[in-house]
Amino acid sequence: MNPVIEAINNRRSVRAYEQKPIPKDIINTIIEAGNQAPYTSMTRSQPWRFVVVQNPEFKQKLFQTAFPFWKNAIDGMKEAAPELYKMATCLYDAMDEPKDVIYYNAPAILFVIGPASGGATSCALACENIMIAAQSLGLGSCYVGFGAMIKGNAEVIQALELKEDEAIYGPILLGYPKVNISTEVANALEKIGPIKKEPVTKWI
Ligand SMILES: Cc1cc2nc3c(=O)[nH]c(=O)nc-3n(C[C@H](O)[C@H](O)[C@H](O)COP(=O)(O)O)c2cc1C
């Protein structure tokens, strides 16, 4: 099979990671792949920049900032979307401490930062390149929208150097997929796994 097609087809969101650091050159290769993504000519050059977070204390700060948003969203699902609520709480209950239901204790969190206005499509393409590159190098990844809910923490904003007119795309979690996970976690992860439909295609 063509290795690019293979990486695209085999990529799945990974929500359990080995606590093993990723070599810096591998992270740089992945970032370079993100940097090669197409972008709108309106921005003349790539509109994105990247912040790699590996520091455990900083990751803890990110989690503490984003978690209330997750909790609020999940609680809101209790009545509106009971199935989703059940899936999310099942995973939370099954997880070992620290129950990081946002960044899943990934060794690296890659923030793709770009213009808040007119940057979403280009930055999303960079994110996809990043995830495919990670897959091709034996790493797991996950785009975690909840992970961007960190604007309430001035210290975090300052560290990311996030400006008023910038937005976070991703962040993308990176790490080696965890091999030995408990049956409870495996079952919970299976439940939140994707439902993949065949392509809906019209030929004209
Ligand atoms: C914009 C966006 C936001 C996402 N946010 C989250 C998230 O906060 N937490 C999470 O576990 N997965 C998140 N995902 C991953 C999706 O749940 C996942 O891609 C989808 O279920 C398809 O599964 P697959 O990636 O394994 O093919 C997000 C994906 C996208 C594209």
Side-chain angles (χ1 to χ4, degrees):
M1 167 85 81
N2 171 299
V4 177
I5 301 292
E6 198 168 23
I8 291 171
N9 289 349
N10 290 339
R11 182 215 54 83
R12 292 282 77 82
S13 293
V14 169
R15 299 184 174 92
Y17 295 93
E18 297 292 350
Q19 294 313 296
K20 179 178 152 192
I22 309 164
K24 195 170 178 184
D25 61 321
I26 302 262
I27 297 184
N28 275 329
T29 301
I30 290 170
I31 289 174
E32 183 50 38
N35 203 40
Q36 293 295 342
Y39 54 88
T40 168
S41 60
M42 301 302 280
T43 56
R44 290 296 295 133
S45 67
Q46 293 101 318
W48 49 72
R49 62 188 180 87
F50 306 100
V51 178
V52 183
V53 176
Q54 295 172 291
N55 179 285
E57 286 83 39
F58 193 76
K59 284 199 272 182
Q60 189 57 26
K61 271 185 203 138
L62 291 174
F63 174 72
Q64 280 162 356
T65 310
F67 181 70
F69 288 93
W70 182 88
K71 179 89 175 64
N72 203 25
I74 299 304
D75 288 347
M77 284 175 189
K78 201 167 183 172
E79 262 145 49
E83 265 308 302
L84 285 178
Y85 174 81
K86 208 169 136 199
M87 279 155 56
T89 46
C90 249
L91 177 62
Y92 183 86
D93 292 342
M95 269 182 161
D96 291 333
E97 296 285 349
K99 291 179 183 287
D100 181 354
V101 274
I102 296 177
Y103 305 102
Y104 304 109
N105 296 305
I109 304 168
L110 179 53
F111 285 87
V112 179
I113 297 175
S117 171
T121 308
S122 303
C123 290
L125 292 168
C127 289
E128 177 68 350
N129 268 21
I130 286 165
M131 293 189 282
I132 301 306
Q135 172 72 26
S136 77
L137 294 166
L139 286 162
S141 68
C142 189
Y143 188 123
V144 283
F146 275 117
M149 308 289 178
I150 42 84
K151 287 202 168 173
N153 187 329
E155 194 188 337
V156 166
I157 294 299
Q158 196 184 12
L160 297 180
E161 297 178 30
L162 195 67
K163 304 191 188 62
E164 278 289 318
D165 58 354
E166 285 185 318
I168 293 167
Y169 301 96
I172 311 290
L173 309 181
L174 295 171
Y176 297 97
K178 195 165 187 176
V179 186
N180 291 317
I181 46 176
S182 70
T183 316
E184 289 79 18
V185 172
N187 290 341
L189 287 175
E190 185 137 344
K191 284 201 192 91
I192 65 168
I195 297 166
K196 293 284 184 191
K197 301 187 290 191
E198 292 301 311
V200 178
T201 314
K202 179 177 177 180
W203 296 73
I204 295 177

